[in-house]
Amino acid sequence: MLNIQGIAASAGVAIAPVFKLEHPDYTVKHRGIEDTAAEITRLEEALSKSQQELEAIKARTQQELGEKKAEIFESHLLILNDPELLTPVRDKINTEKVSAEYALNETAQQFISMFENMKSDYLRERAADMKDVTKRVLTHLLGLNYVNPAEISEEVIVVAEDLTPSDTAQLNRKYVKGFTTNIGGRTSHSAIMARSLEIPAVVGTKDVLSKVSNGDLLIVDGLDGTVIVNPSAEVVEQYTAKRDAYLQQIEEWKKLREVPTVSRDGVHVELAANIGTPNDVAGVLENGGEGVGLYRTEFLYMGRTELPSEEVQFNAYKTVLEKMEGKPVVVRTLDIGGDKELPYLDLPKEMNPFLGFRAVRLCLEQTDIFRTQLRALLRASTYGNLRIMFPMIATLDEFRQAKSLLLEEKAKLVSEGVAVSEDIQIGIMVEIPATAVLADQFAKEVDFFSIGTNDLIQYTMAADRMNERVSYLYQPYNPAILRLVKMVIDAAHKEGRWAGMCGEMAGDATAIPLLLGLGLDEFSMSATSILPARSQIAKLSKSEMQELAAKALQLGTAEEVVELVKGINQS
Ligand code: PEP
Ligand code: MG
């Protein structure tokens, strides 16, 4: 039995065997061969194993996710049997006397680069499909051990060096009971997605991957950040009880689903949810969300081979607005960059991606991408209560430019006779310290602020939110952060605007009393944090929390703030 400590990233307890997710090395070197017939046989065997796998995945996907989602595997099967690909591969083995993997890789790469350079969307998509199929066959030819996370079909806990947001999006909740990674922090996007998928997770363990083997029994305790390898029967029993108690607690919280969020002394605040896809709305409603405080639209741009069209976007935004039935929905425009990549944009690698060409910076330069999104949003605006928010605003000029592009697109639509809502609030994320400090000026021009503490903390403390080595500096309760939050809220109120928070701090039980006291109007968090937050706020008096916050602002360290909050009566 081995205990490993990491960062609690998504609540709940999971107990299941280990599934190591390692991305293998597909490098293929030139290798000459003598026996061409044997090499052809190796190729045929690899093709037939790949065929069996794809048929099984296709059948399972059809059954579990429907015909549409299974189509992708049908196109993979077509490629796998395409003579235009396979005849040149066999010829190459016979005439050049090279290994099957080399012949396949060389031939496939030629097709891939040809497709990638085509104008047609269809052919560019085929390039991505061909890459996947080639990897699948190479896995067999090179004797690699790799299973795509989407293909897991037994109950497991995924263990990986890191998971990208798109790896995480592919995890099937039915089988993936939890995950744990070597790197990452509580606000890395895979952690955020784990919370919306309600998969218990522990990240930033530094070395869990090297400490486990496939099939080891593992406990992932996403409540306190512990991972236990090969626990004794007694420990399994103890954690089974902990898991059941947590599930029981969730049932208790559910009773608060329809209740408004009111403090003990009768002050209402709004509890909204952060979502990444229209599918997440179900979780928002189930958890009694009073709105969507942050729709991270970049997930709509990920996991595909090209930009989503205006129509695809319009349908996604419309769905969310309709499902929320008039409750406010804050949609954030594209925030790509940092740990969220879009390979098809072919952006150069940067030394400091979190400080680089991202979010609104990219949108203001590649305005065609931005305008498409703005049009889709404006067209969807009549289906509900839409608010539009720009991310990573550092200067007033950026806000003005973004807003004027929005107004231009609105004027165009109106002149085309398209209906657009007249009540769209336009706000910004405050996640750059310069913007927090200058909030009084911004408040004169924006309709609202939403404080993005995930980034605001990393920029204020100069501590990468993804880097577990500096996670000790990632301090939401540092009085410096609290002072910035206060500046933003006060500036908003002075101009009659509202101030929300959509960083993870908004759902943090230690931060909530302070934020209530500082006067935050809207708290937006992972849907699963809403009911615990509602239950907590009902026990707090806002006027007492104002006094608490005033004291906290005068303290010197985060630890002192935590001690202060611990001392209050939350019953
Ligand atoms: C934030 O920075 O706090 C935020 C909510 O945005 P993201 O986590 O997507 O960067
Ligand atoms: Mg951010």
Side-chain angles (χ1 to χ4, degrees):
M1 189 163 100
L2 173 70
N3 274 43
I4 302 173
Q5 194 58 39
I7 299 166
S10 177
V13 176
I15 307 171
V18 166
F19 176 93
K20 287 174 90 163
L21 183 68
E22 290 175 282
H23 291 281
D25 180 2
Y26 288 103
T27 319
V28 178
K29 296 208 182 79
H30 179 274
R31 184 168 66 83
I33 48 112
E34 288 301 320
D35 188 348
T36 52
E39 210 54 27
I40 296 279
T41 309
R42 278 185 68 229
L43 175 71
E44 302 306 338
E45 279 169 5
L47 291 172
S48 111
K49 281 186 196 151
S50 305
Q51 171 100 14
Q52 285 164 17
E53 282 169 6
L54 280 170
E55 277 167 0
I57 301 164
K58 188 182 134 193
R60 209 179 62 233
T61 313
Q62 258 166 350
Q63 203 183 5
E64 287 173 10
L65 301 170
E67 204 59 50
K68 193 96 195 111
K69 294 258 185 216
E71 272 172 17
I72 172 122
F73 299 109
E74 183 54 43
S75 36
H76 284 198
L77 281 164
L78 286 174
I79 295 174
L80 193 69
N81 290 291
D82 187 350
E84 280 194 49
L85 170 70
L86 296 180
T87 310
V89 176
R90 292 187 186 107
D91 288 351
K92 212 171 173 67
I93 296 173
N94 283 325
T95 56
E96 295 178 28
K97 290 192 180 302
V98 289
S99 68
E101 54 271 25
Y102 185 78
L104 171 72
N105 196 45
E106 290 288 295
T107 313
Q109 290 311 328
Q110 277 174 10
F111 278 103
I112 291 166
S113 47
M114 186 175 86
F115 290 151
E116 280 179 338
N117 289 322
M118 299 276 189
K119 279 252 164 325
S120 142
D121 293 348
Y122 170 74
L123 289 175
R124 281 209 309 273
E125 270 169 33
R126 282 205 69 192
D129 288 343
M130 188 164 290
K131 274 187 202 163
D132 278 356
V133 173
T134 308
K135 276 190 186 164
R136 183 177 294 281
V137 184
L138 283 178
T139 302
H140 295 295
L141 286 169
L142 296 169
L144 302 171
N145 181 13
Y146 177 67
V147 180
N148 184 319
E151 294 169 19
I152 294 172
S153 58
E154 279 168 19
E155 290 196 356
V156 293
I157 291 177
V158 168
V159 183
E161 169 71 15
D162 187 21
L163 283 179
T164 63
S166 58
D167 284 337
T168 315
Q170 288 185 56
L171 300 178
N172 183 341
R173 270 181 67 179
K174 186 163 163 209
Y175 299 115
V176 178
K177 296 289 147 193
F179 74 76
T180 178
T181 56
N182 281 3
I183 65 171
R186 221 188 116 70
T187 62
S188 52
H189 284 93
S190 39
I192 291 171
M193 291 190 67
R195 290 197 280 283
S196 67
L197 291 167
E198 298 181 38
I199 299 178
V202 172
V203 300
T205 61
K206 299 194 176 81
D207 56 2
V208 65
L209 187 61
S210 64
K211 298 275 169 65
V212 298
S213 307
N214 277 324
D216 280 351
L217 187 64
L218 205 66
I219 296 178
V220 163
D221 180 349
L223 294 163
D224 73 2
T226 310
V227 176
I228 305 173
V229 190
N230 290 326
S232 64
E234 203 181 317
V235 170
V236 170
E237 202 177 311
Q238 188 189 329
Y239 276 86
T240 307
K242 186 169 182 183
R243 180 185 63 194
D244 295 346
Y246 181 70
L247 294 174
Q248 178 71 37
Q249 171 76 78
I250 293 180
E251 287 310 308
E252 279 298 308
W253 283 327
K254 290 225 158 114
K255 294 184 187 144
L256 296 174
R257 199 157 40 192
E258 310 293 335
V259 174
T261 313
V262 183
S263 68
R264 205 174 77 218
D265 52 348
V267 181
H268 174 255
V269 289
E270 192 177 306
L271 293 193
N274 296 346
I275 63 167
T277 72
N279 290 340
D280 295 341
V281 176
V284 179
L285 298 173
E286 241 168 67
N287 288 285
E290 293 163 73
V292 168
L294 168 64
Y295 175 4
R296 287 185 167 92
T297 56
E298 45 282 1
F299 293 113
L300 196 58
Y301 292 68
M302 289 164 37
R304 46 172 71 233
T305 52
E306 56 180 356
L307 288 162
S309 65
E310 182 181 318
E311 215 47 37
V312 164
Q313 295 193 52
F314 165 73
N315 284 321
Y317 306 148
K318 174 173 173 266
T319 306
V320 172
L321 286 162
E322 282 180 338
K323 286 192 185 163
M324 288 304 294
E325 295 180 334
K327 296 195 178 87
V329 175
V330 180
V331 182
R332 173 173 79 184
T333 59
L334 181 62
D335 182 13
I336 215 65
D339 61 337
K340 293 172 288 194
E341 292 179 11
L342 282 189
Y344 57 80
L345 286 186
D346 270 336
L347 296 171
K349 275 254 168 287
E350 295 183 328
M351 295 279 282
N352 292 302
F354 274 106
L355 300 181
F357 184 60
R358 56 173 290 203
V360 80
R361 303 168 183 188
L362 180 142
C363 287
L364 292 178
E365 194 183 291
Q366 308 208 0
T367 49
D368 46 341
I369 297 179
F370 195 36
R371 284 181 190 275
T372 305
Q373 179 169 41
L374 295 174
R375 281 176 70 86
L377 279 169
L378 290 162
R379 282 174 53 206
S381 66
T382 52
Y383 294 89
N385 182 357
L386 173 68
R387 297 168 175 180
I388 296 177
M389 169 161 85
F390 304 124
M392 289 290 291
I393 292 285
T395 66
L396 258 175
D397 188 52
E398 282 176 340
F399 172 70
R400 289 175 187 152
Q401 280 186 54
K403 182 173 172 181
S404 81
L405 286 169
L406 177 69
L407 296 182
E408 265 177 51
E409 289 309 316
K410 182 177 170 195
K412 274 193 226 160
L413 284 169
V414 171
S415 73
E416 290 162 22
V418 179
V420 177
S421 163
E422 278 308 318
D423 302 313
I424 308 173
Q425 292 189 5
I426 307 172
I428 60 167
M429 293 204 55
V430 182
E431 47 190 342
I432 295 178
T435 308
V437 172
L438 211 60
D440 58 330
Q441 297 304 312
F442 280 95
K444 296 185 205 303
E445 303 194 25
V446 304
D447 293 323
F448 66 91
F449 290 134
S450 185
I451 308 172
T453 46
N454 301 344
D455 280 318
L456 185 64
I457 298 168
Q458 75 164 343
Y459 298 137
T460 307
M461 304 299 295
D464 185 340
R465 66 195 255 191
M466 302 285 289
N467 186 339
E468 68 288 349
R469 291 226 161 79
V470 293
S471 63
Y472 75 100
L473 282 172
Y474 196 86
Q475 299 182 347
Y477 323 120
N478 187 305
I481 302 296
L482 299 179
R483 288 187 190 192
L484 286 175
V485 169
K486 177 178 163 51
M487 285 173 84
V488 178
I489 298 174
D490 289 351
H493 291 172
K494 188 151 173 272
E495 297 295 335
R497 319 291 186 203
W498 61 269
M501 179 179 285
C502 58
E504 294 302 304
M505 186 176 171
D508 176 312
T510 303
I512 285 173
L514 298 164
L515 298 173
L516 182 69
L518 290 171
L520 194 72
D521 303 296
E522 179 237 32
F523 298 61
S524 192
M525 56 191 74
S526 307
T528 46
S529 302
I530 291 176
L531 294 175
R534 182 167 294 155
S535 144
Q536 185 186 8
I537 289 171
K539 295 174 194 147
L540 298 171
S541 143
K542 176 161 176 181
S543 63
E544 284 172 20
M545 293 310 109
Q546 282 169 329
E547 287 169 27
L548 179 87
K551 281 190 199 148
L553 291 166
Q554 297 311 316
L555 294 175
T557 68
E559 290 75 17
E560 287 166 12
V561 172
V562 173
E563 281 309 307
L564 178 76
V565 177
K566 272 194 198 150
I568 60 170
N569 177 10
Q570 297 206 39
S571 61

